[in-house]
Amino acid sequence: GQNIDQPTEMTATEGAIVQINCTYQTSGFNGLFWYQQHAGEAPTFLSYNVLDGLEEKGRFSSFLSRSKGYSYLLLKELQMKDSASYLCAVRTLKAAGNKLTFGGGTRVLVKP
Amino acid sequence: DTGVSQNPRHKITKRGQNVTFRCDPISEHNRLYWYRQTLGQGPEFLTYFQNEAQLEKSRLLSDRFSAERPKGSFSTLEIQRTEQGDSAMYLCASSLGDRSAGNGYTFGSGTRLTVV
């Protein structure tokens, strides 16, 4: 099976930076995804990494190290609307179709 | 395109009753997934369709659960003889493309089931 770990909760101040870590153990790794989920809403796609390195998209960046089984999502210039859960998900070559396995999510609370 | 649509948004049912949820994926997406999510947890995979074929079912999907996608378009998830432990958000997602693509899922807004 797969083991995906991320912190349960983080708190940060508006305007600051927060880094959400995700570690995973899997065979046949074929991509890591980050999703944002506001309370009571659907998860929305944020980023995708399949090769080592940093992917930047505006205020959000995601990093991957396949040898370490590690990724992080970096949120810069935090805004109140960034308060949400952030889900790390892994896809493997053995998985049927594009099936993703999700971690438990990290709830980020942005304070003024 | 209006994205992935799920109905109903909320369902309250008495224990022992049957419930059925519907998912309409993005029209050109050939892959459809059902997940279950409880409060404070990440989504857990239930089942996956490619077109009308159900290609994978999780062990979480007991005999009381059945899913169909009869014409490769919309899908239904039925839970028979509901139990309180079935209370959760049921999420549907769809995608297009091969496994090498960076295509994430597009999720619907979910159906929140409460079994009383």
Side-chain angles (χ1 to χ4, degrees):
Chain A
Q2 296 166 57
N3 203 20
I4 302 170
D5 290 315
Q6 46 181 134
T8 305
E9 196 169 291
M10 303 180 74
T11 303
T13 306
E14 194 176 12
I17 297 173
V18 71
Q19 178 175 312
I20 306 168
N21 296 326
C22 172
T23 57
Y24 63 89
Q25 293 174 314
T26 189
S27 56
F29 174 83
N30 192 31
L32 187 141
F33 296 77
W34 284 96
Y35 282 80
Q36 179 190 61
Q37 186 177 27
H38 286 100
E41 296 182 13
T44 54
F45 171 76
L46 286 180
S47 70
Y48 165 70
N49 296 71
V50 68
L51 299 177
D52 290 352
L54 188 69
E55 295 283 340
E56 296 187 81
K57 271 189 185 181
R59 294 189 299 113
F60 292 3
S61 304
S62 57
F63 171 83
L64 176 68
S65 168
R66 289 172 297 170
S67 62
K68 294 182 180 176
Y70 168 69
S71 172
Y72 67 72
L73 180 70
L74 195 69
L75 285 61
K76 294 180 272 190
E77 300 167 20
L78 279 171
Q79 301 175 9
M80 299 299 291
K81 67 179 182 179
D82 297 330
S83 291
S85 284
Y86 292 85
L87 302 165
C88 172
V90 170
R91 182 175 66 195
T92 67
L93 290 169
K94 287 188 284 188
N98 272 348
K99 188 184 91 173
L100 301 182
T101 301
F102 287 84
T106 299
R107 193 168 67 179
V108 171
L109 178 62
V110 181
K111 293 186 173 178
Chain B
D1 195 338
T2 55
V4 179
S5 175
Q6 289 189 249
N7 289 289
R9 287 295 306 274
H10 303 276
K11 178 71 177 178
I12 300 174
T13 191
K14 291 184 178 178
R15 191 174 52 189
Q17 297 294 305
N18 299 343
V19 294
T20 301
F21 311 141
R22 177 178 170 125
C23 171
D24 288 88
I26 292 174
S27 56
E28 62 266 27
H29 284 184
N30 60 340
R31 292 176 172 149
L32 186 147
Y33 312 81
W34 285 98
Y35 281 77
R36 180 172 68 188
Q37 186 176 28
T38 53
L39 202 61
Q41 301 297 314
E44 295 175 296
F45 171 78
L46 292 178
T47 191
Y48 152 66
F49 290 86
Q50 180 156 319
N51 300 312
E52 67 275 11
Q54 188 174 19
L55 296 185
E56 187 173 347
K57 289 171 61 172
S58 164
R59 282 171 288 181
L60 292 174
L61 218 64
S62 75
D63 291 345
R64 296 184 298 106
F65 287 70
S66 63
E68 294 183 340
R69 195 183 182 197
K71 295 181 181 178
S73 56
F74 73 92
S75 176
T76 57
L77 178 68
E78 181 183 16
I79 309 174
Q80 296 182 325
R81 304 181 304 281
T82 51
E83 301 172 356
Q84 287 188 319
D86 298 331
S87 295
M89 175 76 85
Y90 289 83
L91 291 165
C92 176
S94 67
S95 75
L96 177 66
D98 63 29
R99 61 180 60 205
S100 63
N103 299 326
Y105 294 165
T106 301
F107 279 93
S109 297
T111 294
R112 181 166 294 285
L113 173 66
T114 303
V115 181
V116 297

